[in-house]
Amino acid sequence: RKFGKTDQDFVVDLNLFARNPCRIIGGTSRHPNEYPNYHKGKGSFGFLIQRLSDRNYAMRALCMEGNGAEYNTYQKKGVNYISVVWYPPTNLNDHAEDKT
């Protein structure tokens, strides 16, 4: 994988964290529909957290496996910033049992 922009579609996985609940001792898991804008797809808080998680897994793949980070961007109507979506080779679904 090479680093760079791709034209992959955006995949909003609103149940990513429901399938992979918090493993921190004393932590509390909440269903994604308890967070703001659950039904707004790319505008949901859940998608923001998914994008941040995917960014971390893209960095993990770069550091541990030498994979380049692929990404895409979009701009929501009426805002002055561009959002980035990362496409790591693996994500939370693949590492849910990883203890590190």
Side-chain angles (χ1 to χ4, degrees):
R1 292 173 63 115
K2 293 183 178 180
F3 177 84
K5 190 169 181 179
T6 180
D7 62 356
Q8 291 185 52
D9 290 331
F10 304 113
V11 179
V12 179
D13 185 355
L14 294 178
N15 290 309
L16 175 66
F17 299 101
R19 285 192 310 278
N20 300 288
C22 179
R23 297 183 320 247
I24 298 172
I25 295 171
T28 302
S29 295
R30 291 184 168 79
H31 194 274
N33 65 5
E34 295 181 36
Y35 292 95
N37 301 321
Y38 173 73
H39 297 290
K40 289 194 174 181
K42 290 191 300 187
S44 69
F45 181 76
F47 189 52
L48 168 64
I49 301 303
Q50 175 189 335
R51 291 188 296 119
L52 293 173
S53 176
D54 286 345
R55 180 196 63 188
N56 292 340
Y57 281 105
M59 181 59 73
R60 177 191 182 280
L62 173 68
C63 295
M64 296 180 76
E65 299 156 11
N67 287 315
E70 294 180 340
Y71 67 94
N72 202 348
T73 61
Y74 67 93
Q75 187 169 12
K76 291 186 274 185
K77 189 175 182 176
V79 300
N80 294 324
Y81 58 88
I82 294 174
S83 297
V84 178
V85 177
W86 296 94
Y87 299 96
T90 60
N91 68 13
L92 180 59
N93 287 319
D94 303 297
H95 298 277
E97 300 301 319
D98 187 347
K99 302 296 183 198
T100 58

